Amino acid sequence: MLILGIETSCDETAAAVVRDGAEILSNVVVSQIDIFAEYGGVIPEVAARSHLEAILPVIDKALADARCTWDDIDAIAVTHAPGLLGSLLIGTLTARTLAILYDKPLYAVHHLKSHVYANWLTSGDQNSPQFPLLALVVSGGHTQILYMRGHNQFEIIGTTHDDAVGECFDKVAKILGLPYPGGPSIAEVAKTGDADRYPLPHPKVEGLDFSFSGLKTAVLRAVQKEVGVPISYPSYKLKDLLTPGQVADFAASFQKTAVEILCEKLEMALEQHPETKSIVVAGGVSANSELKKIFMLHLGQRAFFPAPSLSGDNGAMVAAACYYEIMSGVKPTDPYKLNIYPRVSVES
Ligand code: KG4
Ligand code: ZN
């Protein structure tokens, strides 16, 4: 079964053709990072307009790279939730139109499910994650631990009370004067930093839930103390007072703490679910090599990470998630009625 996956939930315009939820025939991603690096973050209206310009060429290229015509495509899958409203609209309206035009079944896919299923793309049939499993979703918008008894069964057992971990990387990067997106910038600078120089607190959140806004504030206060300014000092000016060495040490100390927090909660989840066979890590922050190193050390062969090229937003993971939805009995959606849900949970 060949599925065309379309993804436009944030600032990547992406389309891919995937065979049977595993084999990537093409995977085209046009990133808007260059545009938003100038602003230091995503501007929703600009993102939607960029999607509009890119979406049809991206889909054409995905078909051409896969050496496919529309006749070869068995289904269209598109992200309909959650994400930026204007961005989701461009992807879904395009997918609806194409489904009607070429008479293809249309499937609406939740973005977090897609991130989780990126792990089936890379592992293939031989060594896929086994159920029951725990999925740690770490993206710019979400930090959740999901329990999966089987394909397409998602139970949220832990979630963040405030910021997502990716968002925290982005905000800390801003304080340190590092370029957008903050996650990769922090990871890069942290390589030369001393992770033990600035001890940061672990938030006290009950159970398997997370809180990352306190960690961001802790970094802010530690920077203010280090450079000797009061807490009323404008945070955007702090970067001018930091030396490159201090920036690297703050980046490394923050990254270490964020990874420790994620690891602690996952180990707690494993204690509660000793029957767990695999752990899959999903979302943009799964590209973080320190996270991967620590998880591999603690969890060994049970841990799955998507290939770095599939950790961020892409169309291949949408097609993979759609394949397993179809295998679980999910029916196509009406292309005349498909709606978007910018904030809906993965459980719904
Ligand atoms: O999954 P994603 O591409 O988009 C959302 O669905 O949100 O995740 C984007 C997030 C951003 O916050 C970005 O800073 C973070 O993933 N990120 C990283 C790394 N690469 C991307 N965070 C830490 N280390 C990285 N190497
Ligand atoms: Zn994402």
Side-chain angles (χ1 to χ4, degrees):
M1 183 188 291
L2 291 193
I3 301 178
L4 171 71
I6 299 172
E7 156 62 37
T8 64
S9 67
C10 189
D11 59 346
E12 259 97 26
T13 316
V17 178
V18 175
R19 176 177 284 131
D20 296 338
E23 189 191 343
I24 300 174
L25 302 191
S26 65
N27 192 24
V28 183
V29 181
V30 170
S31 171
Q32 302 173 13
I33 279 178
D34 291 349
I35 303 172
F36 297 123
E38 248 180 74
Y39 301 102
V42 178
I43 298 171
E45 289 79 3
V46 178
R49 193 171 302 181
S50 306
H51 284 309
L52 192 56
E53 285 170 13
I55 186 87
L56 289 178
V58 163
I59 292 172
D60 279 345
K61 182 158 170 41
L63 290 173
D65 286 358
R67 299 181 188 281
C68 280
T69 67
W70 280 104
D71 282 345
D72 303 315
I73 298 295
D74 297 300
I76 299 175
V78 65
T79 312
H80 75 135
L84 300 173
L85 189 143
S87 294
L88 289 169
L89 267 179
I90 304 300
T92 52
L93 283 170
T94 307
R96 291 167 64 183
T97 309
L98 293 171
I100 294 164
L101 197 63
Y102 294 106
D103 194 21
K104 303 289 177 189
L106 176 65
Y107 293 84
V109 180
H110 192 284
H111 188 60
L112 297 196
K113 290 188 186 181
S114 301
H115 272 303
V116 169
Y117 274 104
N119 286 282
W120 272 260
L121 284 166
T122 41
S123 47
D125 272 355
Q126 295 298 306
N127 188 23
S128 315
Q130 301 294 307
F131 297 107
L133 63 78
L134 289 172
L136 177 70
V137 179
V138 281
S139 70
H142 292 83
T143 306
Q144 293 188 332
I145 302 179
L146 310 175
Y147 184 70
M148 293 181 74
R149 283 186 174 75
H151 280 301
N152 203 32
Q153 295 176 42
F154 295 88
E155 186 191 334
I156 301 170
I157 58 169
T159 194
T160 179
H161 290 189
D162 39 57
D163 292 354
V165 62
E167 187 180 355
C168 191
F169 268 88
D170 295 337
K171 287 178 175 172
V172 168
K174 255 192 179 172
I175 296 170
L176 300 178
L178 298 170
Y180 173 87
S185 311
I186 287 193
E188 185 55 33
V189 170
K191 283 181 191 163
T192 58
D194 173 3
D196 297 319
R197 177 157 172 203
Y198 302 110
L200 296 162
H202 290 206
K204 291 189 178 47
V205 190
E206 287 217 354
L208 301 177
D209 285 349
F210 300 93
S211 164
F212 280 101
S213 88
L215 179 58
K216 169 205 66 195
T217 309
V219 174
L220 178 63
R221 297 286 175 257
V223 172
Q224 288 164 336
K225 193 170 160 220
E226 180 73 6
V227 297
V229 298
I231 59 172
S232 57
Y233 192 83
S235 60
Y236 69 91
K237 286 188 177 170
L238 286 169
K239 61 180 190 302
D240 303 328
L241 306 177
L242 288 165
T243 65
Q246 287 170 323
V247 169
D249 293 346
F250 271 115
S253 302
F254 159 72
Q255 177 174 259
K256 178 186 163 208
T257 310
V259 168
E260 279 171 358
I261 292 168
L262 293 171
C263 204
E264 272 166 22
K265 290 288 174 165
L266 198 61
E267 284 183 331
M268 206 187 282
L270 277 169
E271 274 170 30
Q272 292 181 15
H273 294 278
E275 71 285 11
T276 300
K277 292 209 175 87
S278 299
I279 294 114
V280 307
V281 187
V285 183
S286 70
N288 187 279
S289 42
E290 184 64 19
L291 179 77
K292 196 166 183 174
K293 193 178 92 192
I294 299 294
F295 272 40
M296 286 306 194
L297 206 68
H298 287 246
L299 308 166
Q301 293 197 322
R302 272 198 298 178
F304 287 79
F305 280 75
S309 61
L310 298 170
S311 61
D313 294 345
N314 65 82
M317 66 185 192
V318 182
C322 173
Y323 175 80
Y324 286 100
E325 283 198 356
I326 295 172
M327 292 300 123
S328 313
V330 172
K331 298 287 171 235
T333 186
D334 182 343
Y336 289 95
K337 291 191 181 147
L338 187 155
N339 219 333
I340 58 161
Y341 298 94
R343 303 188 74 84
V344 78
S345 141
V346 70
E347 277 179 344
S348 56

